[in-house]
Amino acid sequence: MTDWECINRIRVLSADVVQKANSGHPGAPLGMAPMAYVLFSRHLRFNPKNPDWPGRDRFVLSNGHSSALLYSLLHLTGYPDWTMDVLKTFRQSKSMAAGHPESHYPGVEVTTGPLGQGLSNAVGLAIAETHLAAKFNKDGIKVVDNFTYVFCGDGCLQEGITSEASSLAGHLGLGKLIVLYDDNHITIDGSTDLSFSEDVCKRYESYGWHTQVVKDGDKDLEAIDAAITAAKAVSDKPSLIKVNTTIGFGSLMAGTGEVHGSPLGVKGVAHLKTFFGYDPNEFFHIPDEVYKVMDGTKKGKELEDEWNSSFAVFTDKYPNEATELKRRFSGTLPEGWDQNLPTFSEKDPAISTRKASGQILNHFASKIPDLFGGSADLNPSCFTYLNSDKDYLVGSYDQRNVRFGVREHAMAAICNGLHAYGGFIPFCSTFLNFIGYAYGAVILSSLSEVGVLYIFTHDSVLLAEDGPTHQPIEKYAVVRSTPGINLFRPADSKETLAAYLSAIRSRKTPTVFALTRQNVPNLAGTSVEGALRGGYVVNDPQGASPDIVLVATGSELSLCVGAASRSSAKVRVVSLCCWELFEQQPLSYRESVFPSGVPVLSVEAGSAFGWERYAHASIAIDTHGMSANLADVTKAFGLTVENVLAKSQQVLDFYRERHVPNKLEKPF
Amino acid sequence: MTDWECINRIRVLSADVVQKANSGHPGAPLGMAPMAYVLFSRHLRFNPKNPDWPGRDRFVLSNGHSSALLYSLLHLTGYPDWTMDVLKTFRQSKSMAAGHPESHYPGVEVTTGPLGQGLSNAVGLAIAETHLAAKFNKDGIKVVDNFTYVFCGDGCLQEGITSEASSLAGHLGLGKLIVLYDDNHITIDGSTDLSFSEDVCKRYESYGWHTQVVKDGDKDLEAIDAAITAAKAVSDKPSLIKVNTTIGFGSLMAGTGEVHGSPLGVKGVAHLKTFFGYDPNEFFHIPDEVYKVMDGTKKGKELEDEWNSSFAVFTDKYPNEATELKRRFSGTLPEGWDQNLPTFSEKDPAISTRKASGQILNHFASKIPDLFGGSADLNPSCFTYLNSDKDYLVGSYDQRNVRFGVREHAMAAICNGLHAYGGFIPFCSTFLNFIGYAYGAVILSSLSEVGVLYIFTHDSVLLAEDGPTHQPIEKYAVVRSTPGINLFRPADSKETLAAYLSAIRSRKTPTVFALTRQNVPNLAGTSVEGALRGGYVVNDPQGASPDIVLVATGSELSLCVGAASRSSAKVRVVSLCCWELFEQQPLSYRESVFPSGVPVLSVEAGSAFGWERYAHASIAIDTHGMSANLADVTKAFGLTVENVLAKSQQVLDFYRERHVPNKLEKPF
Ligand SMILES: [Ca+2]
Ligand SMILES: [Ca+2]
């Protein structure tokens, strides 16, 4: 019974898994099995019987297409849910063994597959650890103390998001982050010579990382082991270990691109088994001895018991802190967090919603220590700095303001990682238009049900002079059309408060805030309660049913209120600040907001796309923006009370003799 | 009259420009004026009287917020359109002096502002030069021979897109790309110590770049000059020159973050002028001698004359090549490019549209040498390899297949740069869902009117096993809602051909292709002509007006055709393969496709968002996807003939006693 027996069994099991599905990626599991075995059997601290044990090391498979490897490891090390039967359902409907690892299944820390996300999530996991350690560890009692390990391939390293996250990780000196780079010289297209010839170690050194090379990752287990040990000993820098391997090791197509993304085939798997001295007619076969060696249950229990003892000592000495840390890991909010809310009234002076947001964020940050984040080098513009805290930097990991730098994509992925660690409500900010840079990771917040607060400002053409490169047009439609994510575009301070209440409560749903650069008045008709329903009546004609509904979001709501007050028609004004929340309301409520037979005109400084769901006509912007002063921009795009009045009249005239379609009434 | 007089005049002019607008970024222009002066007066080859002269060096201001510097230079060096009056309209309505540089104005090569785009565009510009040089230069006659210069700040260098593009530039050995990095140690938030401590030169060396440092970029003009000279002499590597400068040099807030993005104020500008020994009461004042020194007209004419002579010699020796190069720079397509098109019929076997795309792309590539591009390491999946050519690599710059590596964001930006050079129809490819990684640059294709072909495959949940991380849901809505970009989702080979015809003709509009992974039948009712109208009738009930319209795109069209053939109702089937083209058709045509009084059911394997524009009900997907085999995915999302039939019946029943709203009839 040797290490190699375990490693080769991991290999053939992964190959069986992929072959049975007739779909998947066998190449990387075959090449990475040795490093996976060394990590899981000699270093990684985990308890398969309690995958969520907070004291565990975190493991991220950034090259998520190698999922068969991860599932094989979870099975072999004793995770009860990862039965052999589950492995046999790889890539089939409702299987935990999904095509790429999905974080809602036990033992999978983060959802990976889109390259670079995992490594960037891992930077978030590592930041989380340092912060909680700095906050809670006392007197040498380390209740928070774990490593974050990452496997990645050259695909991950080519992605820009990885560069952003790695540069920041180096800057922040994340000494407990250890990345094993599977350097197999092969990409999907063929040799890395085609597109990737950089000196990866030198690049990581330039970021301030510690680097090592394992020359023969196919055969030299002790070198892998020694490198991990050395990496763990370097406490002030993240570590990169470049492990030279052979993709598809042991298979007929070893060392070629063909083995990356296609099953080996029946004959190929048979050859593989023969190569390792196994019976080609045995499938999904693992000898008992391999299970015995690889099962992490006993060691996992010991580790968790040890941690529990230490936590008990901590609880004795610091009962409040212990309760607080437990609360954070439980994901519940501190008691009273939504009591004594700030109040706003129409008598308050006009203020941009980005500034209101800054005040409200600071209010909640004082009540909720879980709030943690920052901006992509835009603090003076986005107002997301927490005044209670200083910068989260080397030497001040207990602080909550992260300086992400101009790294929007990594920023979002790091927030996903912070959430995955547990105990955090991550927020981040930039200009709304630059969600275009971060969108690859924002999608994953939604897919993996991570309630990040995306506090995005400069939300429309009304940011003015910076011009079309900075002016979002379609971004509201982008977020609204994306499943599992809310867009909140508040009209004033009250609605901004509602946005925060909604976002903080939505621990499984990310919220994108769209906040104004320019000042907006606090309106008499808005309310926190109304805004929390996503859409509500802000103004109604006195004692009469409306002739027309004006519906708006954000800064355009006050335009509609202004138009209503000047119109000779009976005008209802509706705020539709969050479509997703509104669409969760019962039909009866939605019909009470948009009554049958009354035409609806929408006013929003963005694409008309999607507004046909509610509106019979739209004041919208279906071109790119323009660089000009606010007054000229306002006029050029018809975002004036006069234009709202004129267009309202057109709507009223049009429907005078026509049937008004009921937009909420649908066949199914 | 010294160099410094010119430099300081550039400085105060930039400050006046920003101050008059009371908006903009004075800090970087003040710091970069010395390097700008040295580059423009001693190195950059350009003719202000013919900004589009093909032989010019390209200059890209990647930190586009420093636009005041660029506009000042264009004015001072003699670009006729860039008058002092234009400078006085900085950031005002319709001004060429827009907030960030926009490529449709003379002397502005590419639109910049969103950080990192410019440097990545420049990699495209440099690739373009090497390719045309390799293709056309003969016998030592260099009709294509120019440098590409870039200015950038630390913001650009923090962006992932820059890392992607720079790594690729090093790999490709782009020796005529020279980047001057304005290292002022300041970001918007303050010192770079907050977020950016990497060793930039070492990082660029790891990419295979040549690097230099100018220690005192505020004062040492000769060092700047020498560094540029040395960079030009290195012909096998791109060059990075790190120039240490002081942001806001000469201003009261020199060396601080405050001077980055706010005008200096009246007093601040007065102080600046006094600092440089100028009259604080003179505004927009440039002494004649400065104009005389800086005017590039004479030198520009000489350079262009020289190039013209050389081109004349070339024309004599190689008349065909000369004609061809002229054609390419003119942006016209080769004669007969759309003759002898491939034909497809319903008798052809089912084939995925990605495979059909591969055949069609290769067909057009044989007729249009301007087609140039590749995939983000997905050639075996995206089928965008040109069989006529080999890889574009060092030593084979004349080839057309670019191996972008797993670098989606840079890939798109490089395509924008290729187009900006002139003579190229760039294409690139990855899976549709990963437009989320590239979207920051895709937006700029649209904004700067660059007709890139985004040949994206794996266009829906029907890609199956790879699962939700790879399955686009909202991506159709994303592209449709974005102004100035077409989404083409062809149903079969004929419509795929139409997509290519449309995309190749649309030299100012980018096209996103959404192509299937799975096989789809070639349908009897589809046509190239119909598809080119964006929407058209594919099937109609014989001799009767329809009871219901089924509208679909892509792989769902054949479902609708199947349902129509099995329905007891009279069913019209409409393909809406490109909304944007359809919406350019006259209303009468659109009404002929969607006749008044007939209910419409849409069928598309993506978000319902936006479909209310045409459909009374939608079979759509408003959740994330799932990893499973094709049959299970198809069933789970109701993408079956049975479900289309059942839902059609629901629609017919619903509207039996109800008014059918005319979706095309609107108040305005
Ligand atoms: Ca949404
Ligand atoms: Ca569009």
Side-chain angles (χ1 to χ4, degrees):
Chain A
M1 184 61 213
T2 67
D3 293 332
W4 289 105
E5 168 70 0
C6 294
I7 291 167
N8 294 337
R9 290 292 180 181
I10 294 170
R11 284 171 160 150
V12 297
L13 177 58
S14 298
D16 273 343
V17 163
V18 171
Q19 186 56 40
K20 177 146 196 331
N22 198 23
S23 170
H25 301 75
L30 292 172
M32 293 195 298
M35 61 171 108
Y37 173 74
V38 171
L39 178 66
F40 274 68
S41 65
R42 306 191 194 172
H43 297 278
L44 195 74
R45 296 160 52 97
F46 63 102
N47 181 359
K49 299 303 183 276
N50 183 9
D52 296 331
W53 166 44
R56 73 192 180 278
D57 287 338
R58 267 61 172 180
F59 171 71
V60 173
L61 187 73
S62 193
N63 46 353
H65 53 267
S66 317
S67 52
L69 174 65
L70 177 61
Y71 304 153
S72 298
L73 290 164
L74 293 173
H75 169 69
L76 293 169
T77 54
Y79 285 76
D81 291 331
W82 287 96
T83 62
M84 193 62 99
D85 281 342
V86 166
L87 265 58
K88 289 178 183 168
T89 62
F90 181 55
R91 295 189 154 225
Q92 300 311 310
S93 183
K94 288 168 196 160
S95 173
M96 296 204 317
H100 293 85
E102 298 180 12
S103 61
H104 37 276
Y105 297 126
V108 181
E109 301 288 356
V110 292
T111 297
T112 55
L115 294 170
Q117 299 293 334
L119 200 155
S120 308
N121 296 158
V123 173
L125 289 165
I127 289 175
E129 194 265 352
T130 59
H131 179 67
L132 291 183
K135 281 279 211 195
F136 288 95
N137 292 349
K138 284 176 204 289
D139 300 341
I141 314 176
K142 293 192 172 175
V143 288
V144 178
D145 181 20
N146 69 270
F147 287 95
T148 301
Y149 295 98
V150 180
F151 282 4
C152 75
D154 31 63
C156 286
L157 295 179
Q158 291 176 67
E159 291 287 5
I161 186 175
T162 305
S163 297
E164 294 177 4
S166 302
S167 171
L168 185 60
H171 179 74
L172 295 174
L174 301 173
K176 290 158 99 176
L177 173 64
I178 298 173
V179 175
L180 287 94
Y181 159 37
D182 173 34
D183 185 12
N184 57 32
H185 278 285
I186 290 294
T187 69
I188 293 178
D189 275 7
S191 164
T192 49
D193 295 346
L194 293 171
S195 59
F196 191 59
S197 55
E198 63 179 45
D199 180 340
V200 171
C201 285
K202 187 167 183 179
R203 174 178 145 209
Y204 272 77
E205 283 158 21
S206 82
Y207 298 146
W209 287 50
H210 167 251
T211 72
Q212 300 174 80
V213 177
V214 173
K215 280 190 197 154
D216 186 354
D218 292 331
K219 304 225 181 89
D220 194 345
L221 303 186
E222 300 317 314
I224 296 170
D225 184 47
I228 296 174
T229 302
K232 285 157 83 174
V234 175
S235 63
D236 60 343
K237 291 173 171 189
S239 285
L240 178 83
I241 305 171
K242 186 162 95 82
V243 186
N244 296 321
T245 69
T246 303
I247 192 170
F249 186 89
S251 75
L252 286 164
M253 296 171 297
T256 72
E258 285 92 80
V259 75
H260 166 84
S262 301
L264 300 178
V266 173
K267 282 188 187 167
V269 174
H271 170 276
L272 187 81
K273 289 178 184 166
T274 309
F275 180 89
F276 290 119
Y278 300 141
D279 180 350
N281 296 312
E282 270 180 347
F283 299 93
F284 293 94
H285 174 67
I286 299 292
D288 285 344
E289 275 153 319
V290 170
Y291 280 122
K292 229 167 107 183
V293 171
M294 292 207 62
D295 189 2
T297 305
K298 184 161 166 282
K299 189 173 151 210
K301 189 176 180 308
E302 284 165 16
L303 290 169
E304 188 170 345
D305 285 349
E306 206 177 286
W307 184 83
N308 284 334
S309 314
S310 159
F311 198 81
V313 174
F314 181 74
T315 308
D316 268 359
K317 280 183 95 165
Y318 305 103
N320 294 340
E321 285 81 352
T323 306
E324 172 67 357
L325 185 57
K326 272 193 197 158
R327 178 196 66 74
R328 288 187 67 164
F329 278 128
S330 76
T332 55
L333 289 158
E335 219 161 309
W337 74 275
D338 55 357
Q339 305 292 305
N340 303 315
L341 295 172
T343 54
F344 304 98
S345 114
E346 63 274 21
K347 284 159 205 149
D348 298 333
I351 180 176
S352 64
T353 54
R354 64 175 167 146
K355 273 195 189 151
S357 158
Q359 296 168 10
I360 296 165
L361 173 63
N362 269 285
H363 166 83
F364 284 118
S366 73
K367 304 208 157 196
I368 310 174
D370 319 45
L371 280 163
F372 181 94
S375 82
D377 192 37
L378 281 173
N379 281 332
S381 298
C382 296
F383 297 108
T384 46
Y385 201 80
L386 305 184
N387 301 320
S388 57
D389 281 56
K390 294 206 161 45
D391 294 326
Y392 170 89
L393 284 173
V394 176
S396 57
Y397 286 150
D398 59 331
Q399 302 298 307
R400 291 190 286 168
N401 290 297
V402 181
R403 304 282 193 162
F404 287 106
V406 193
R407 303 181 178 103
E408 297 84 2
H409 200 178
M411 172 173 82
I414 288 169
C415 285
N416 288 338
L418 287 165
H419 174 103
Y421 191 87
F424 287 83
I425 300 181
F427 65 89
C428 64
S429 63
T430 181
F431 293 170
L432 177 61
N433 213 32
F434 300 136
I435 193 177
Y437 276 46
Y439 191 45
V442 172
I443 282 281
L444 282 161
S445 303
S446 142
L447 181 56
S448 29
E449 303 188 339
V450 175
V452 175
L453 277 63
Y454 289 106
I455 305 171
F456 292 160
T457 68
H458 294 61
D459 73 337
S460 79
V461 294
L462 299 172
L463 65 85
E465 285 90 349
D466 271 344
T469 52
H470 288 50
Q471 291 167 330
I473 298 295
E474 72 291 343
K475 297 301 186 305
Y476 316 143
V478 167
V479 183
R480 286 176 187 147
S481 61
T482 304
I485 180 165
N486 296 341
L487 176 77
F488 220 118
R489 188 165 184 250
D492 64 4
S493 304
K494 278 179 273 181
E495 290 196 354
T496 306
L497 176 57
Y500 272 93
L501 287 167
S502 166
I504 292 171
R505 283 176 190 148
S506 303
R507 290 299 75 239
K508 294 192 153 202
T509 308
T511 299
V512 172
F513 293 65
L515 302 172
T516 68
R517 171 176 186 261
Q518 79 279 15
N519 287 343
V520 289
N522 280 292
L523 298 168
T526 53
S527 74
V528 174
E529 300 69 37
L532 283 171
R533 304 191 86 161
Y536 65 107
V537 178
V538 168
N539 264 17
D540 236 358
Q542 271 196 321
S545 58
D547 302 325
I548 185 171
V549 173
L550 298 180
V551 58
T553 72
S555 46
E556 288 71 71
L557 190 67
S558 70
L559 274 186
C560 293
V561 170
S565 74
R566 282 175 48 188
S567 175
S568 54
K570 299 184 201 75
V571 179
R572 164 176 288 190
V573 177
V574 166
S575 166
L576 202 62
C577 48
C578 180
W579 290 31
E580 291 87 352
L581 292 183
F582 183 67
E583 287 166 11
Q584 287 162 22
Q585 302 297 318
L587 181 61
S588 57
Y589 176 74
R590 285 178 282 139
E591 284 178 335
S592 77
V593 173
F594 294 111
S596 179
V598 184
V600 178
L601 171 64
S602 70
V603 188
E604 188 176 68
S607 168
F609 196 85
W611 271 106
E612 286 93 349
R613 182 169 293 178
Y614 296 106
H616 300 88
S618 295
I619 297 177
I621 306 175
D622 284 318
T623 62
H624 286 291
M626 63 184 284
S627 169
N629 65 47
L630 182 57
D632 286 346
V633 172
T634 303
K635 222 170 145 186
F637 292 107
L639 300 171
T640 61
V641 169
E642 291 66 34
N643 190 44
V644 175
L645 284 169
K647 291 292 193 297
S648 300
Q649 197 54 53
Q650 276 182 264
V651 172
L652 286 165
D653 292 346
F654 183 86
Y655 281 111
R656 213 169 300 283
E657 314 253 303
R658 277 188 186 83
H659 174 81
V660 179
N662 181 339
K663 295 268 178 180
L664 297 177
E665 201 186 51
K666 287 172 188 174
F668 57 85
Chain B
M1 183 59 215
T2 66
D3 293 333
W4 289 107
E5 168 70 359
C6 293
I7 291 165
N8 294 335
R9 290 293 181 181
I10 294 170
R11 285 171 159 151
V12 296
L13 177 57
S14 298
D16 273 344
V17 164
V18 172
Q19 186 57 39
K20 176 147 196 331
N22 198 23
S23 171
H25 301 75
L30 292 172
M32 293 195 298
M35 61 171 108
Y37 173 75
V38 171
L39 178 65
F40 274 68
S41 65
R42 304 191 196 173
H43 296 278
L44 194 74
R45 295 159 52 97
F46 63 102
N47 181 359
K49 299 304 184 275
N50 183 10
D52 295 331
W53 167 45
R56 73 192 181 279
D57 287 337
R58 268 60 172 183
F59 172 72
V60 173
L61 186 73
S62 193
N63 45 353
H65 54 267
S66 317
S67 54
L69 173 66
L70 177 61
Y71 304 152
S72 298
L73 290 164
L74 293 172
H75 169 69
L76 292 169
T77 55
Y79 285 76
D81 292 330
W82 287 96
T83 63
M84 193 63 98
D85 281 341
V86 166
L87 266 57
K88 289 178 183 167
T89 62
F90 182 57
R91 295 188 154 226
Q92 300 312 308
S93 184
K94 287 166 195 160
S95 173
M96 297 205 314
H100 293 84
E102 298 180 13
S103 60
H104 37 275
Y105 297 126
V108 181
E109 301 288 356
V110 292
T111 297
T112 54
L115 294 170
Q117 299 293 334
L119 200 155
S120 307
N121 296 157
V123 173
L125 289 165
I127 289 174
E129 195 266 351
T130 58
H131 179 67
L132 291 182
K135 281 282 211 192
F136 288 95
N137 292 350
K138 284 177 203 290
D139 299 340
I141 316 177
K142 294 194 172 175
V143 288
V144 178
D145 181 20
N146 68 270
F147 287 94
T148 301
Y149 296 97
V150 180
F151 282 3
C152 75
D154 31 63
C156 286
L157 294 179
Q158 291 176 67
E159 292 286 6
I161 185 175
T162 305
S163 297
E164 293 177 6
S166 301
S167 172
L168 185 59
H171 179 74
L172 296 174
L174 301 173
K176 290 159 96 176
L177 173 63
I178 298 173
V179 175
L180 288 94
Y181 159 37
D182 174 34
D183 185 13
N184 58 33
H185 278 284
I186 290 294
T187 70
I188 292 177
D189 275 7
S191 164
T192 49
D193 296 345
L194 293 171
S195 58
F196 191 60
S197 54
E198 63 179 47
D199 180 341
V200 171
C201 285
K202 187 168 182 178
R203 173 177 147 209
Y204 273 77
E205 284 157 21
S206 82
Y207 298 146
W209 287 49
H210 168 250
T211 72
Q212 300 174 80
V213 177
V214 173
K215 280 190 196 154
D216 185 355
D218 292 332
K219 303 224 180 92
D220 194 345
L221 302 187
E222 299 318 313
I224 296 171
D225 184 47
I228 296 175
T229 302
K232 285 157 82 174
V234 176
S235 63
D236 59 345
K237 292 175 171 188
S239 284
L240 178 84
I241 305 171
K242 186 164 96 81
V243 186
N244 296 320
T245 70
T246 304
I247 191 169
F249 186 89
S251 75
L252 286 164
M253 296 171 299
T256 73
E258 284 93 79
V259 77
H260 165 85
S262 301
L264 300 177
V266 173
K267 282 189 187 165
V269 175
H271 169 274
L272 186 81
K273 289 177 183 167
T274 309
F275 180 88
F276 290 118
Y278 300 141
D279 180 348
N281 296 312
E282 271 181 348
F283 299 93
F284 293 92
H285 175 67
I286 299 292
D288 286 344
E289 275 154 320
V290 171
Y291 280 122
K292 230 167 105 182
V293 171
M294 292 208 61
D295 189 2
T297 306
K298 185 161 165 283
K299 188 172 151 211
K301 189 177 180 309
E302 285 165 17
L303 290 168
E304 187 169 347
D305 285 349
E306 205 177 287
W307 185 81
N308 284 334
S309 315
S310 159
F311 198 82
V313 175
F314 182 74
T315 307
D316 268 359
K317 281 183 94 165
Y318 305 103
N320 294 339
E321 285 82 351
T323 308
E324 173 65 358
L325 185 58
K326 270 192 195 160
R327 179 196 66 74
R328 288 187 66 162
F329 278 128
S330 76
T332 54
L333 289 157
E335 218 161 307
W337 73 275
D338 54 358
Q339 306 291 304
N340 302 316
L341 295 172
T343 54
F344 304 98
S345 116
E346 63 275 20
K347 284 159 205 150
D348 297 333
I351 180 178
S352 64
T353 55
R354 64 175 168 146
K355 272 195 190 149
S357 158
Q359 296 169 10
I360 297 165
L361 173 63
N362 269 286
H363 167 83
F364 284 118
S366 73
K367 303 208 158 200
I368 311 173
D370 320 46
L371 280 163
F372 182 95
S375 81
D377 192 37
L378 281 173
N379 281 333
S381 298
C382 295
F383 296 106
T384 47
Y385 201 79
L386 305 184
N387 302 320
S388 57
D389 281 56
K390 295 205 160 45
D391 293 325
Y392 170 90
L393 284 173
V394 176
S396 57
Y397 286 151
D398 59 332
Q399 302 299 308
R400 292 191 284 168
N401 290 297
V402 181
R403 304 281 193 162
F404 287 107
V406 193
R407 304 181 178 104
E408 296 85 3
H409 200 178
M411 172 173 81
I414 287 168
C415 285
N416 289 336
L418 287 165
H419 174 102
Y421 191 88
F424 287 84
I425 300 182
F427 66 89
C428 63
S429 64
T430 181
F431 293 170
L432 177 60
N433 212 33
F434 301 135
I435 192 177
Y437 276 46
Y439 192 45
V442 173
I443 282 279
L444 281 161
S445 304
S446 143
L447 181 57
S448 28
E449 302 188 339
V450 175
V452 175
L453 278 63
Y454 289 106
I455 305 171
F456 292 160
T457 68
H458 294 61
D459 72 337
S460 79
V461 292
L462 300 172
L463 64 85
E465 285 91 349
D466 270 344
T469 53
H470 288 49
Q471 291 167 329
I473 298 295
E474 72 291 341
K475 296 301 187 304
Y476 316 142
V478 166
V479 183
R480 286 177 185 144
S481 61
T482 304
I485 179 164
N486 296 341
L487 176 77
F488 221 117
R489 187 164 185 253
D492 64 5
S493 304
K494 279 180 271 180
E495 290 197 354
T496 306
L497 175 57
Y500 271 93
L501 287 166
S502 166
I504 292 171
R505 282 174 190 148
S506 303
R507 290 300 74 240
K508 294 192 153 201
T509 308
T511 300
V512 172
F513 293 65
L515 303 171
T516 67
R517 170 175 187 263
Q518 79 278 17
N519 287 344
V520 289
N522 281 291
L523 297 169
T526 53
S527 75
V528 174
E529 302 68 38
L532 283 170
R533 304 191 86 160
Y536 65 107
V537 177
V538 170
N539 264 15
D540 236 357
Q542 271 196 321
S545 57
D547 302 325
I548 186 170
V549 172
L550 299 180
V551 59
T553 72
S555 46
E556 288 71 71
L557 190 66
S558 70
L559 274 187
C560 293
V561 170
S565 75
R566 281 175 48 188
S567 175
S568 55
K570 301 183 200 78
V571 179
R572 165 176 288 189
V573 178
V574 167
S575 166
L576 202 62
C577 50
C578 180
W579 290 32
E580 291 86 352
L581 293 182
F582 184 67
E583 287 167 9
Q584 288 162 23
Q585 302 296 319
L587 180 61
S588 58
Y589 175 75
R590 285 178 282 139
E591 284 177 335
S592 78
V593 173
F594 294 111
S596 179
V598 185
V600 178
L601 171 64
S602 70
V603 188
E604 189 176 66
S607 167
F609 196 85
W611 271 107
E612 286 93 349
R613 182 169 293 177
Y614 296 107
H616 300 87
S618 295
I619 297 177
I621 306 175
D622 284 319
T623 61
H624 286 290
M626 63 184 285
S627 170
N629 65 48
L630 182 56
D632 286 345
V633 172
T634 304
K635 222 171 146 185
F637 291 108
L639 299 171
T640 60
V641 170
E642 291 67 33
N643 190 45
V644 175
L645 284 169
K647 291 293 193 298
S648 301
Q649 197 53 53
Q650 276 183 265
V651 171
L652 287 165
D653 292 345
F654 183 85
Y655 282 112
R656 213 170 299 282
E657 313 252 305
R658 277 187 184 84
H659 173 81
V660 180
N662 182 339
K663 294 267 178 181
L664 297 177
E665 202 187 49
K666 288 172 188 174
F668 56 86

